């Protein structure tokens, strides 16, 4: 059945709008952090997989980094292992780390790989331990509570931060025409494994690859002002002002800090996008309006 004239025009307009973006981003690397509702809703999972596959087919180089906090929490509960958090980070002793590796490096990673492959893509799953992809170091936290005469170091176990990224592993997969799917687990020089925040891993990988874009999927519409309106087209200086005046606070701060660090280190743009919207990645890349907040380091 052929399209009616109105529908045909709408389709043609969408395709025409996407053309300059396809031309602009061909052969460019785009790092996407997959998390939130998009990871647990079947429709959103499939739309995400198709977005990533289409990006690859039109000549872009997508790199997927994923989280898995709710899945880790679910298994810990089933195993009667208590979950504790400090500043939003899961305290990770050796027993918890075993579960983290099982869930992130096994179950979740392979589910995403299978999802992309089932929809017609060619994905390969790795953790930061494979090929020494992510060299990590232990993350230190300080308690600056009032009443303390000096900062108190809080031990949150095997929670780490990225010290170095071996981009050779990612380059090998990209040039082999595969889509890398990376679990945020790192390893230090002594072979100790570390659980690392997926946003931070995605940001560091984007920096090291000098990616065109860093895209962070969230469960909100984007960065909002105090009136609840979504902000976009922001420069780093503007974002820093929003942090200073308290507009950006709480759980959004680490994500925004990750985006700021990435663009300051050479990533062309960072995007905080609404992962609850089907095909959010394609809408952000291939349309003029997008579905989230765009941050750049362009001060002109």
């Amino acid at each position: 059945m052929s399209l009616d004239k109105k529908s045909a025009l709408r389709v043609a307009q969408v395709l025409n709008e996407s053309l300059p973006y396809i031309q602009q981003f061909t052969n460019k690397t785009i790092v996407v952090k997959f998390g939130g509702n998009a990871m647990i809703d079947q429709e959103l999972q499939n739309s995400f997989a198709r977005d990533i596959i289409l990006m690859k087919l039109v000549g872009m180089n997508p790199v997927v980094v994923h989280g898995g906090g709710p899945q880790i929490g679910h298994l810990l509960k089933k195993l009667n292992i208590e979950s504790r958090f400090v500043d939003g980070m899961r305290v990770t002793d050796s027993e918890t780390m075993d579960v983290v590796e099982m869930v992130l490096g096994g179950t979740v990673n392979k589910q995403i790989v299978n999802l992309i492959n089932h929809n017609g893509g060619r994905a390969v799953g790795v953790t930061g331990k494979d090929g020494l992809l992510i060299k990590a170091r232990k993350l230190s936290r300080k308690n600056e509570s009032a009443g303390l005469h000096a900062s108190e170091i809080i031990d949150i176990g095997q929670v780490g931060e990225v010290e170095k990224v071996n981009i050779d592993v990612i380059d090998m997969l990209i040039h082999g025409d595969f889509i890398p799917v990376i679990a945020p687990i790192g390893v230090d020089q002594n072979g100790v494994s570390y659980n690392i925040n997926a946003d931070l891993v995605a940001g560091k990988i984007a920096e090291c690859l000098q990616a065109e874009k860093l895209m962070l999927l969230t469960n909100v519409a984007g960065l909002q002002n105090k009136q609840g309106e979504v902000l976009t087209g922001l420069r780093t200086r503007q974002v820093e002002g929003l942090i200073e005046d308290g507009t950006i606070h709480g759980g959004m701060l680490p994500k925004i800090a990750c985006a700021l660090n990435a663009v300051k280190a050479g990533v062309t743009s960072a995007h905080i996008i609404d992962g609850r919207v089907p095909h959010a990645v394609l809408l952000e890349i291939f349309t003029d309006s997008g579905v989230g907040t765009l941050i750049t380091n362009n001060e002109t």
Side-chain angles (χ1 to χ4, degrees):
M1 186 177 73
S2 62
L3 294 171
D4 60 63
K5 186 175 180 180
K6 186 177 180 180
S7 298
L9 180 60
R10 185 171 63 251
V11 172
Q13 288 173 334
V14 170
L15 293 173
N16 185 61
E17 185 177 335
S18 69
L19 178 59
Y21 296 105
I22 294 173
Q23 293 171 323
Q24 181 181 354
F25 301 137
T26 295
N27 294 322
K28 299 294 178 63
T29 297
I30 298 176
V31 178
V32 184
K33 187 266 181 164
F34 184 41
N37 279 22
M39 287 189 71
I40 56 177
D41 180 280
Q42 188 64 50
E43 179 187 354
L44 295 175
Q45 287 177 356
N46 284 309
S47 75
F48 173 81
R50 291 175 185 138
D51 289 358
I52 296 297
I53 293 164
L54 181 57
M55 290 166 63
K56 189 70 173 179
L57 289 174
V58 298
M60 302 176 195
N61 297 318
V63 176
V64 178
V65 178
H66 65 83
Q71 294 91 330
I72 293 169
H74 178 70
L75 183 54
L76 286 171
K77 186 175 181 179
K78 287 182 67 175
L79 295 173
N80 292 317
I81 300 174
E82 180 186 5
S83 290
R84 295 190 299 115
F85 293 86
V86 172
D87 295 336
M89 290 175 290
R90 189 185 303 277
V91 177
T92 307
D93 58 18
S94 60
E95 187 178 34
T96 301
M97 190 66 218
D98 288 341
V99 174
V100 168
E101 291 203 64
M102 186 188 311
V103 173
L104 292 183
T107 307
V108 174
N109 188 270
K110 301 317 172 191
Q111 284 175 345
I112 298 169
V113 168
N114 184 59
L115 185 68
I116 293 172
N117 292 344
H118 180 71
N119 280 277
R122 299 177 71 226
V124 172
V126 296
T127 76
K129 297 175 72 172
D130 294 312
L132 298 178
L133 171 59
I134 299 173
K135 183 179 179 183
R137 59 174 170 254
K138 186 180 177 67
L139 180 65
S140 296
R141 302 299 295 176
K142 292 183 179 180
N143 184 354
E144 305 282 359
S145 300
L148 292 176
H149 296 294
S151 296
E152 180 182 77
I153 302 298
I154 303 174
D155 187 356
I156 52 177
Q158 289 173 244
V159 177
E161 57 185 345
V162 179
E163 183 174 338
K164 183 180 179 181
V165 176
N166 178 10
I167 62 171
D168 292 343
V169 176
I170 302 173
D171 283 340
M172 178 187 67
L173 292 172
I174 289 174
H175 292 141
D177 205 29
F178 291 102
I179 298 168
V181 178
I182 302 169
I185 299 168
V187 62
D188 70 9
Q189 60 185 6
N190 297 315
V192 178
S193 300
Y194 287 93
N195 179 18
I196 310 177
N197 177 277
D199 288 333
L200 297 181
V201 170
K204 285 296 183 182
I205 287 176
E207 290 177 26
C208 293
L209 292 173
Q210 287 295 280
E212 178 70 21
K213 293 179 180 293
L214 167 66
M215 308 184 75
L216 304 174
L217 272 67
T218 68
N219 285 339
V220 297
L223 180 56
Q224 301 175 14
N225 62 19
K226 292 180 178 179
Q227 289 72 46
E229 301 165 329
V230 176
L231 302 171
T232 191
L234 297 176
R235 298 185 292 274
T236 53
R237 190 176 301 172
Q238 292 174 295
V239 177
E240 288 166 345
L242 293 169
I243 294 173
E244 290 173 7
D245 70 14
T247 300
I248 303 173
H249 61 278
M252 186 60 77
L253 273 172
K255 199 174 294 288
I256 294 299
C258 170
L260 281 176
N261 290 337
V263 296
K264 286 180 178 180
V267 176
T268 305
S269 62
H271 305 248
I272 312 296
I273 64 174
D274 191 347
R276 301 167 301 177
V277 177
H279 299 292
V281 174
L282 286 189
L283 291 169
E284 186 67 17
I285 294 176
F286 293 127
T287 67
D288 295 334
S289 53
V291 288
T293 299
L294 165 70
I295 301 172
T296 69
N297 201 30
N298 181 6
E299 297 296 339
T300 58

